[in-house]
Amino acid sequence: MLKVHPNGYWGPYRVLHDNLVDEQVREERVAAEALLVKTRSMFERHFGHMARKERDVVLAATTSQPMITMSREVPKQCPACGSQGWVAGEANVQGIAVHCAACDLEVDSKLLFHLGDLDEDVVLDDDPHHYVDEPPVDEDIYKGR
């Protein structure tokens, strides 16, 4: 956190700074909406012709496992199609990437903020420090030397 008041830091450029930030946020919102429209269309093209029961069975099989791999993945409802998507992260899951196999939605951390609660922390059952605080692996032992 900046310990200087923004007016003192930016001076006469504060208005320019604020306008550029607003413009960037608008561009990201438009990109997120365009992505949702595209993936909803893809979902409809792939699954719109199926009967509800048949579609539910296919989606259950399609979305049951994450297609992205990081140290942690948790299921989360896809904001585009409503199917089960996956949010992935490192050590804790504070949305780094999202993927939905049903509609092909793929989002990185830049746009997550604009897609609902996908960037919120996900509470894990075990302690994430268990994975972070482990001592480094001795390469000699690891490589059999």
Side-chain angles (χ1 to χ4, degrees):
M1 180 80 186
L2 197 59
K3 294 183 180 187
V4 176
H5 191 275
N7 288 335
Y9 182 80
W10 290 106
Y13 299 101
R14 172 81 190 266
V15 173
L16 176 61
H17 166 267
D18 292 348
N19 288 337
L20 289 172
V21 168
D22 290 344
E23 183 178 327
Q24 179 69 32
V25 169
R26 279 191 301 276
E27 287 175 7
E28 288 176 4
R29 278 194 196 122
V30 168
E33 274 305 312
L35 187 60
L36 290 177
V37 167
K38 176 185 168 193
T39 55
R40 285 177 182 143
S41 174
M42 177 80 73
F43 180 83
E44 189 60 33
R45 207 170 34 247
H46 287 152
F47 302 105
H49 66 281
M50 294 181 175
R52 180 72 181 176
K53 286 183 180 182
E54 180 185 18
R55 181 173 53 208
D56 289 347
V57 169
V58 171
L59 289 175
T62 304
T63 63
S64 64
Q65 296 294 317
M67 300 292 287
I68 49 177
T69 348
M70 292 186 163
S71 67
R72 292 297 197 178
E73 301 87 18
V74 292
K76 197 89 167 192
Q77 184 177 14
C78 175
C81 70
S83 300
Q84 176 177 290
W86 292 86
V87 179
E90 298 292 336
N92 67 347
V93 181
Q94 181 179 14
I96 292 178
V98 172
H99 183 265
C100 175
C103 67
D104 236 6
L105 176 70
E106 285 191 41
V107 184
D108 62 14
S109 58
K110 183 177 181 180
L111 295 181
L112 285 180
F113 175 76
H114 303 287
L115 297 176
D117 67 349
L118 296 177
D119 70 335
E120 291 182 347
D121 284 340
V122 176
V123 179
L124 302 173
D125 293 336
D126 50 7
D127 182 8
H129 297 289
H130 171 73
Y131 299 96
V132 176
D133 294 335
E134 289 185 24
V137 175
D138 183 338
E139 281 193 38
D140 290 334
I141 293 173
Y142 179 72
K143 294 183 177 181
R145 293 186 221 160

